[in-house]
Amino acid sequence: MTKKNWIACAIVALMFGGMGAYVGLSKEKAKEAGPQTTAIAPGAKGPVNELYALSLPDAAGVTQVLSQWKGKNLLVNFWAPWCPPCVEEMPELSEVQGHYAAKNLQVIGIGIDSASNIATFASKVKIAYPVYVSGMSGTDLSRHFGNATGGLPFTVLIGADGEVKKTYLGRLKFDQLRADLDKL
């Protein structure tokens, strides 16, 4: 590995470490407060169209078009393997996927990390919904949905009509999420 590559890897590692530390330090505060809704107005479609225009590799490296989810209620979870609250909520998101699949709901995960880290994580953890790799561009996409801080986890509830119904910043409160899903 060249010195330039080594430095670049170190910088990326420091960035991920800093983001992980920030999320870890605020974990207790987030648990108490629950997920926060963000600034995007319900009914927004611009970011949804941007999401549907994407083609992203899944955890196995196969490129998938996200427009395949048009016409479904969609729960988009932005996450990272190094984010403890993201990993903690994955089993419950898998349960939501199983329970609400018959009600036209699809949960998808958009991983903000390298393809190799997400593939390694997905091979060790059972996830009952599709997981895609976006790298750092996933942070930009989450910002378009109103995630001004770029914090994780960040979840977006999109109706079958293609409109944003609600956004959640922080670990999900699943009783609230289920109440929101029941309103769809």
Side-chain angles (χ1 to χ4, degrees):
M1 183 179 272
T2 68
K3 187 175 181 178
K4 279 185 178 180
N5 288 346
W6 200 203
I7 291 170
C9 287
I11 290 170
V12 169
L14 286 172
M15 287 178 20
F16 280 122
M19 289 172 63
Y22 171 77
V23 170
L25 290 173
S26 62
K27 181 178 177 180
E28 288 305 312
K29 184 179 177 184
K31 274 186 178 178
E32 292 170 11
Q36 305 295 312
T37 46
T38 56
I40 190 166
K45 286 192 173 188
V48 177
N49 291 334
E50 184 179 347
L51 175 77
Y52 289 149
L54 292 176
S55 293
L56 296 174
D58 61 20
V62 178
T63 300
Q64 304 284 332
V65 294
L66 298 189
S67 62
Q68 68 182 297
W69 307 118
K70 278 185 177 180
K72 285 190 164 279
N73 295 308
L74 191 61
L75 190 65
V76 182
N77 180 251
F78 292 88
W79 69 284
W82 44 261
C83 165
C86 300
V87 175
E88 290 169 5
E89 68 185 16
M90 288 180 133
E92 290 172 284
L93 284 169
S94 290
E95 287 177 20
V96 165
Q97 174 61 61
H99 181 77
Y100 287 91
K103 297 181 180 181
N104 199 34
L105 177 77
Q106 180 63 54
V107 177
I108 65 170
I110 297 185
I112 300 175
D113 202 340
S114 69
S116 61
N117 286 348
I118 290 175
T120 299
F121 180 86
S123 71
K124 294 177 183 176
V125 177
K126 185 178 177 186
I127 306 167
Y129 52 89
V131 173
Y132 302 103
V133 180
S134 71
M136 291 306 292
S137 66
T139 303
D140 292 335
L141 180 60
S142 77
R143 284 190 172 116
H144 294 181
F145 280 105
N147 185 4
T149 64
L152 294 175
F154 180 72
T155 306
V156 181
L157 178 58
I158 301 168
D161 59 4
E163 292 185 359
V164 173
K165 301 300 183 187
K166 194 165 185 182
T167 59
Y168 313 84
L169 178 59
R171 192 177 191 301
L172 289 165
K173 297 282 188 191
F174 281 87
D175 289 341
Q176 179 61 53
L177 176 63
R178 285 182 181 91
D180 293 338
L181 292 172
D182 289 338
K183 294 176 191 172
L184 293 176

